[in-house]
Amino acid sequence: MTFTPNFRPRRLRLTRQLRRLVRETMVSTSDLIYPLFVKEGAEGKQPISSMPGQYQFSLDALTEEVEELVDLDIPAVILFGIPQHKDAIGSGNFDSEGIVPRAIRKIKDLTDELLVISDMCFCEYTSHGHCGIINTPDSDYFSDDLPQGYLLNDPTLQYLGQASVVHAQAGADVIAPSGMLDGMIGAIRQQLDTAGLQQTAIMSYAAKYSSSFYGPFREAAESPPSFGDRSQYQMDPANAREAITEVQQDVDQGADILMVKPALPYLDILSTIRQQFSLPLAAYQVSGEFSMIHAAAQQGWIDLQRVAAESLTSIKRAGADMILSYFTKDFARWQEA
Ligand code: PBG
């Protein structure tokens, strides 16, 4: 093939100013949501060893953190609670004096600048670490037709709705169910509406994969399953078409914001969902994505700031309107520098 001098894409890469002008994708702090872990009975803030710079916060320690987030003009947080007591049905999740409702009230007392999203799942609250009620012979919901150890769908929906009402009444702006149960969006929407909480939005973890990238989070949230894994409810990483079915269901049931999770290994899914659905779309850059970048940077193999920024840009380029990211605070500081 002969070189055609008329076609020279490199012309527009010549200077920094040109590159800025033709840049198609920009990440800004306004796109980012910061995950916060709040721990009942904790003192101060406890570092999470597998996630550099991330902590489990006591209620007291939240004050300083929230001030910092507001100073950095970060728009939103998503809360994960670590209760002191766990039981078979995860009752800590629908206790209005539980750790998350208390954290929500505390944040809302401190500021009205921060949107509060509440992650809605039972895995941090159940003694077995699964995302709802498990089929065991001693359970009120025991079913002979289903295998023992199976996560019971419909009994869990009732509790999910109940806990969502409690978190919304505490002041959560958005409820974000992450358990991948069938019908969870419809059940939560109905219970919120019945309780007069029509303004509370639902961000659905709509296409959430059964991923090994959640490893560090399970240390952070103290929520590893005590037996088995989550492959009976979270999606198989091999499936792409199924994500469309999952998302369609959540749209039909009244989701306001959709999410794909994890982010970087699932950019194809993000891109497909962006093309097929018009609702706002979030992506969760999960703990493993964050920790891998840190680990490689600690070895001196990659540049932390550049790889983090490139990852966020790629996630946005693939179609995310907003990104849940542990890099949120760092990114906001890099923008100010
Ligand atoms: C479930 C939940 C998980 C994450 C967010 N919500 C863990 C899981 O499904 O096992 C993972 C987030 C991350 O890895 O950063 N409540």
Side-chain angles (χ1 to χ4, degrees):
M1 206 182 95
T2 51
F3 177 65
T4 317
N6 293 341
F7 183 59
R8 282 184 174 273
R10 290 188 55 201
R11 265 182 206 126
L12 297 183
R13 295 175 201 147
L14 189 62
T15 66
R16 191 177 77 89
Q17 291 75 7
L18 269 167
R19 292 193 296 271
R20 283 169 71 198
L21 285 174
V22 302
R23 186 158 296 146
E24 298 174 30
T25 306
M26 298 268 268
V27 179
S28 96
T29 304
S30 307
D31 304 323
L32 302 179
I33 298 166
Y34 190 54
L36 274 185
F37 299 97
V38 284
K39 183 168 174 173
E40 192 169 37
E43 282 196 26
K45 53 180 203 177
Q46 314 266 342
I48 300 162
S49 64
S50 54
M51 299 176 71
Q54 310 303 308
Y55 300 87
Q56 295 175 327
F57 291 93
S58 67
L59 279 177
D60 286 341
L62 265 186
T63 308
E64 204 184 318
E65 182 70 5
V66 165
E67 282 166 7
E68 230 180 282
L69 294 170
V70 171
D71 280 346
L72 289 166
D73 203 21
I74 287 161
V77 290
I78 181 163
L79 294 182
F80 297 94
I82 304 134
Q84 229 159 2
H85 304 289
K86 306 192 183 211
D87 59 29
I89 60 167
S91 54
N93 197 18
F94 45 85
D95 175 359
S96 60
E97 290 306 312
I99 181 66
V100 167
R102 289 175 68 194
I104 296 168
R105 288 195 292 269
K106 168 135 199 185
I107 296 171
K108 289 296 176 184
D109 279 346
L110 290 166
T111 179
D112 48 19
E113 297 288 312
L114 208 51
L115 184 94
V116 176
I117 305 171
S118 193
D119 179 85
M120 180 46 61
C121 193
F122 278 97
C123 59
E124 295 104 297
Y125 300 91
T126 52
S127 37
H128 43 70
H130 281 284
C131 302
I133 294 167
I134 291 293
N135 199 34
T136 52
D138 58 352
S139 161
D140 294 345
Y141 304 97
F142 181 64
S143 161
D144 254 339
D145 303 331
L146 291 164
Q148 288 197 24
Y150 189 77
L151 180 74
L152 294 169
N153 199 84
D154 296 12
T156 300
L157 291 183
Q158 179 61 31
Y159 287 114
L160 270 177
Q162 200 178 322
S164 299
V165 168
V166 169
H167 292 210
Q169 281 170 342
D173 302 287
V174 180
I175 301 293
S178 59
M180 288 301 281
L181 276 90
D182 292 340
M184 66 180 182
I185 302 304
I188 290 172
R189 183 73 272 161
Q190 195 196 343
Q191 289 210 42
L192 287 174
D193 289 353
T194 305
L197 295 157
Q198 288 90 350
Q199 300 310 319
T200 308
I202 300 177
M203 169 190 270
S204 178
Y205 285 69
K208 174 173 176 180
Y209 285 86
S210 180
S211 168
S212 297
F213 285 91
Y214 307 149
F217 174 95
R218 291 177 186 171
E219 178 203 328
E222 302 180 14
S223 63
S226 62
F227 64 91
D229 57 26
R230 304 206 201 286
S231 52
Q232 281 184 341
Y233 38 105
Q234 298 179 349
M235 287 178 61
D236 183 337
N239 292 357
R241 291 193 308 274
E242 190 188 348
I244 300 170
T245 319
E246 280 283 357
V247 171
Q248 184 67 59
Q249 283 193 10
D250 288 0
V251 171
D252 294 344
Q253 291 171 33
D256 301 287
I257 299 173
L258 305 168
M259 192 201 300
V260 170
K261 175 185 173 189
L264 211 57
Y266 295 83
L267 293 186
D268 57 329
I269 309 298
L270 205 51
S271 168
T272 304
I273 301 304
R274 168 73 305 149
Q275 285 162 39
Q276 304 217 9
F277 297 90
S278 56
L279 287 178
L281 180 58
Y284 200 141
Q285 181 186 48
V286 301
S287 55
E289 299 179 65
F290 171 82
S291 298
M292 285 197 310
I293 294 173
H294 266 283
Q298 270 168 22
Q299 297 283 336
W301 294 336
I302 60 172
D303 179 303
L304 179 87
Q305 183 172 339
R306 283 168 173 266
V307 172
E310 183 177 332
S311 305
L312 293 170
T313 303
S314 302
I315 294 164
K316 191 150 183 216
R317 188 197 64 231
D321 298 300
M322 60 195 101
I323 306 170
L324 297 87
S325 173
Y326 303 98
F327 285 117
T328 296
K329 279 173 71 183
D330 297 328
F331 184 88
R333 288 198 196 98
W334 298 333
Q335 296 301 101
E336 285 181 348

